[in-house]
């Protein structure tokens, strides 16, 4: 608990300093792009919240190293392993010149470094054929390194609205901390609480007003650490189902896989390009903007995130309840995918379910006339 309090207090203070003195660094750290498909802010906002989170984790880790050198050393190794992906993300935040391929490569290197430092060369999955391949150490390392890369990038993908990625991460870490407590794994428990505190300190400034953004550095860092927590928890504790790691991260994982399929197969486009058709973007455009027409305040942005917190919980709750049952978690994964697809299809075809707060559709007799009056409405109905 002291680690959580320390990382939280440090994060609150550091993030506050970044915001207070943004006039000194906004020309470098600020997000000046208001026109991208995933851009919903209207003022220049610093996007280096990840710096405060990383420093908060480092300070809490240093404290743990002083109190318990054995456990603290392991936390230091994880912090060192995060450097490639964190540095690549921060470089993109500051220069806007680090492409997605370089960030993915940095995530892969960080994953390999973590697996090497912790000597993780075995893993199980619950599928006979895949488990046979997982008997080969080289395949395990490549498979898990790709997994770390994917989850790091997944948090960058879902980081689209105030409080979205940060609260999803907190919910996920709480579930991981609970299971780590059940199986008596102090390393995972301590790191989970450190990350919760660091993210919560940032969250107070980010939600609901969006005074600061995670940026690529923060999103990739959070995704990497949660990937490390998920993999290490399963690798170190045979009683934990490998599908726990999948279900506790079901929303970011499937959002990423669905985005790749939708853009590369369905649309024939580069999946690495910015995209305005993510689930959170549809919630905003098809629900929040209809419910609050003309509202350009931060509330329209902030009210979008709770929808996705609930969606994320649909994966986390089964993982929390049946963390040691592979068959139940596999069935839960199938149900999650079906619910995700059905809900997405209904929203994108203007048949939003009533439980999501569907507003009455506008009466449109002449689309061209509506276009002249309100281009935004016409674009949504195309």
């Amino acid at each position: 608990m002291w680690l959580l309090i320390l990382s939280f207090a440090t994060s609150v203070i550091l993030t506050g300093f970044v915001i207070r003195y943004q006039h000194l660094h906004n020309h470098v750290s600020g997000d000046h792009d208001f026109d991208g498909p995933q851009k919903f802010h209207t003022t220049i906002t610093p996007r280096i919240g990840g710096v405060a989170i990383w420093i908060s984790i480092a300070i809490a880790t240093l404290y743990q190293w002083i109190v318990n050198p054995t456990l603290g050393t392991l936390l230091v190794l994880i912090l060192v392993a995060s450097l490639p992906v964190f540095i690549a993300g921060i470089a993109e935040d500051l220069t806007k010149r680090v492409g997605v391929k370089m960030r993915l490569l940095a995530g892969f290197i960080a994953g390999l470094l973590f697996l090497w430092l912790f000597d993780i060369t075995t893993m199980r999955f619950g599928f006979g054929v895949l488990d046979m391949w997982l008997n080969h150490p080289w395949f395990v390392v490549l498979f898990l390194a790709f997994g770390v890369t994917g989850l790091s990038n997944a948090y960058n993908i879902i980081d689209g609205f105030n409080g979205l990625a940060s609260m999803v991460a907190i919910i996920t870490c709480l579930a991981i901390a609970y299971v780590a407590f059940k199986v008596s794994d102090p390393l995972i428990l301590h790191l989970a609480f450190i990350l919760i505190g660091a993210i919560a300190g940032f969250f107070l400034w980010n939600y609901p007003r969006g005074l600061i953004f995670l940026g690529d550095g923060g999103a990739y860092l959070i995704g990497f650490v949660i990937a490390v927590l998920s993999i290490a928890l399963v690798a170190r504790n045979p009683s934990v189902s490998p599908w726990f790691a999948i279900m506790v991260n079901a929303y970011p994982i499937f959002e990423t896989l669905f985005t790749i399929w939708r853009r590369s197969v369905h649309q024939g486009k580069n999946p690495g390009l910015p995209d305005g058709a993510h689930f959170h973007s549809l919630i905003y455009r098809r629900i929040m903007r209809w419910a609050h027409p003309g509202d350009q305040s931060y509330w329209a942005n902030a009210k979008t995130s709770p929808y996705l917190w609930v969606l994320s919980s649909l994966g986390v709750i089964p993982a929390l309840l049946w963390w040691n049952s592979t068959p139940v978690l596999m069935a839960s994964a199938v149900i999650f995918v079906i619910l995700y697809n059905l809900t997405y299809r209904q929203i994108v075809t203007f048949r939003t379910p009533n439980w999501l707060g569907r507003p009455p559709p506008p009466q449109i007799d002449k689309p061209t006339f509506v276009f002249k009056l309100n281009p935004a409405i016409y674009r949504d109905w195309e």
Side-chain angles (χ1 to χ4, degrees):
M1 189 58 67
W2 281 110
L3 292 175
L4 186 149
I5 294 173
L6 177 59
S7 61
F8 173 76
T10 306
S11 181
V12 169
I13 294 171
L14 291 178
T15 308
F17 269 105
V18 172
I19 296 170
R20 172 63 180 82
Y21 296 102
Q22 61 182 294
H23 61 281
L24 300 177
H25 56 77
N26 247 354
H27 62 288
V28 176
S29 66
D31 193 336
H32 301 257
D33 182 9
F34 307 139
D35 300 323
Q38 300 183 76
K39 303 295 183 178
F40 301 100
H41 61 289
T42 57
T43 59
I44 299 175
T45 306
R47 50 179 289 173
I48 54 173
V51 174
I53 292 177
W54 192 90
I55 295 176
S56 300
I57 296 173
I59 290 177
T61 297
L62 177 61
Y63 170 81
Q64 182 61 34
W65 182 76
I66 294 173
V67 174
N68 185 339
T70 301
L71 186 59
T73 300
L74 296 177
L75 294 174
V76 169
L77 293 178
I78 293 175
L79 199 62
V80 170
S82 73
L83 284 174
V85 69
F86 173 65
I87 292 173
I90 289 297
E92 166 62 14
D93 292 331
L94 297 178
T95 68
K96 315 298 189 295
R97 296 179 180 177
V98 181
V100 64
K101 291 182 180 179
M102 288 300 299
R103 281 174 274 151
L104 291 175
L105 177 60
F108 186 75
I109 293 173
L112 290 177
L113 185 58
F114 156 69
L115 296 170
W116 175 67
L117 290 173
F118 282 80
D119 193 27
I120 297 178
T121 57
T122 61
M123 182 59 66
R124 63 199 189 284
F125 201 75
F127 281 136
V129 176
L130 186 56
D131 284 346
M132 181 180 66
W133 278 97
L134 290 176
N135 287 326
H136 303 283
W138 62 268
F139 183 81
V140 172
V141 171
L142 291 178
F143 179 80
L144 294 180
F146 275 115
V148 172
T149 306
L151 194 58
S152 299
N153 187 59
Y155 269 87
N156 193 45
I157 288 176
I158 68 172
D159 182 28
F161 288 92
N162 300 343
L164 174 51
S166 50
M167 181 51 71
V168 168
I170 290 174
I171 293 172
T172 301
C173 285
L174 286 172
I176 292 174
Y178 169 78
V179 175
F181 173 77
K182 295 289 287 184
V183 298
S184 302
D185 192 327
L187 173 63
I188 305 302
L189 184 63
H190 284 68
L191 182 56
F193 274 118
I194 289 174
L195 187 59
I196 290 171
I199 298 173
F202 162 85
F203 180 84
L204 289 184
W205 294 102
N206 173 253
Y207 190 84
R209 299 187 62 185
L211 299 176
I212 188 171
F213 297 153
L214 274 176
D216 286 21
Y220 277 106
L221 172 65
I222 290 174
F224 172 81
V225 177
I226 290 180
V228 165
L229 286 168
S230 303
I231 292 173
L233 180 61
V234 173
R236 291 161 55 92
N237 302 279
S239 62
V240 180
S241 167
W243 281 80
F244 169 82
I246 296 174
M247 283 306 299
V248 82
N249 297 293
Y251 165 52
I253 287 176
F254 191 69
E255 177 70 27
T256 301
L257 295 176
F258 186 74
T259 298
I260 293 173
W261 174 85
R262 172 168 46 79
R263 292 198 49 87
S264 61
V265 178
H266 183 65
Q267 298 176 349
K269 299 179 180 179
N270 184 349
L273 295 176
D275 186 26
H278 296 297
F279 205 115
H280 54 265
S281 303
L282 290 180
I283 292 290
Y284 176 76
R285 290 192 169 103
R286 300 290 171 87
I287 297 177
M288 298 311 304
R289 203 165 70 182
W290 286 116
H292 306 279
D295 185 0
Q296 297 298 322
S297 69
Y298 61 85
W299 282 113
N301 182 312
K303 289 178 181 178
T304 302
S305 296
Y307 286 90
L308 286 309
W309 300 343
V310 173
L311 176 64
S312 173
S313 298
L314 295 179
V316 173
I317 291 174
L320 195 64
L321 295 176
W322 299 290
W323 54 269
N324 57 353
S325 177
T326 294
V328 174
L329 291 182
M330 291 174 66
S332 300
V334 173
I335 294 172
F336 180 88
V337 170
I338 293 173
L339 289 175
Y340 181 102
N341 277 283
L342 289 177
T343 307
Y344 187 97
R345 179 179 292 274
Q346 287 184 303
I347 295 176
V348 82
T349 55
F350 298 97
R351 294 182 291 116
T352 303
N354 289 324
W355 60 271
L356 285 175
R358 176 175 59 186
Q363 299 298 320
I364 299 180
D365 297 326
K366 297 181 180 180
T368 54
F369 178 65
V370 175
F371 173 73
K372 292 178 181 178
L373 290 180
N374 194 335
I377 293 180
Y378 182 76
R379 283 198 301 272
D380 266 356
W381 280 85
E382 281 186 312

